Amino acid sequence: MAQSFESYQGNASARARDAQDTVQQLKNKAEDVADSVKTEGAKALKSAGESVDEAVSATKRFVQEQPLLALGVVAAFACAAGALWKMSPARRNNDLLERLSDYVEPGYRALRRRI
């Protein structure tokens, strides 16, 4: 019925060994995952570097073969970026409010004088 101290001690040491085994297995799995992440990251970095190199060489070839078209594309992009910047909400709202207040203010003053 009652267990002796030795049996409790045996159970505790068995559970401690099981826990150590489980921790060791988890550690091994974590190391495997870390290694696979490292290799996959290296592959992705290498692939990205190759893509960048290909893009740079293709761009160089395009600019050398058709310089006027390349200048036109850059100019069009610059104009589009400038137009988007001019249309930004912060700039548009301030200008609109100033113009609106300049338009409404004189009429509002005249209306107040009449009342």
Side-chain angles (χ1 to χ4, degrees):
M1 311 235 197
Q3 291 183 345
S4 67
F5 177 73
E6 287 82 21
S7 66
Y8 279 122
Q9 194 174 16
N11 278 342
S13 63
R15 289 183 187 219
R17 280 191 303 272
D18 290 343
Q20 285 177 344
D21 291 341
T22 303
V23 167
Q24 187 62 37
Q25 289 173 357
L26 289 173
K27 183 180 174 185
N28 291 339
K29 285 182 182 179
E31 288 173 352
D32 292 343
V33 168
D35 288 339
S36 67
V37 166
K38 182 179 174 182
T39 57
E40 290 299 319
K43 286 179 187 176
L45 186 61
K46 182 179 177 183
S47 174
E50 291 171 357
S51 297
V52 167
D53 290 340
E54 290 174 8
V56 167
S57 65
T59 303
K60 275 185 181 180
R61 217 175 27 252
F62 174 74
V63 170
Q64 288 173 351
E65 291 172 0
Q66 299 179 355
L68 293 179
L69 183 59
L71 285 175
V73 168
V74 170
F77 178 75
C79 289
L84 289 175
W85 179 73
K86 290 285 265 182
M87 292 175 53
S88 67
R91 292 181 53 85
R92 186 176 57 227
N93 288 341
N94 290 341
D95 295 341
L96 181 63
L97 289 176
E98 287 176 13
R99 284 187 279 164
L100 184 62
S101 67
D102 290 344
Y103 177 75
V104 171
E105 192 69 30
Y108 180 70
R109 285 188 198 147
L111 181 63
R112 285 191 69 190
R113 281 188 222 134
R114 289 184 190 167
I115 296 178

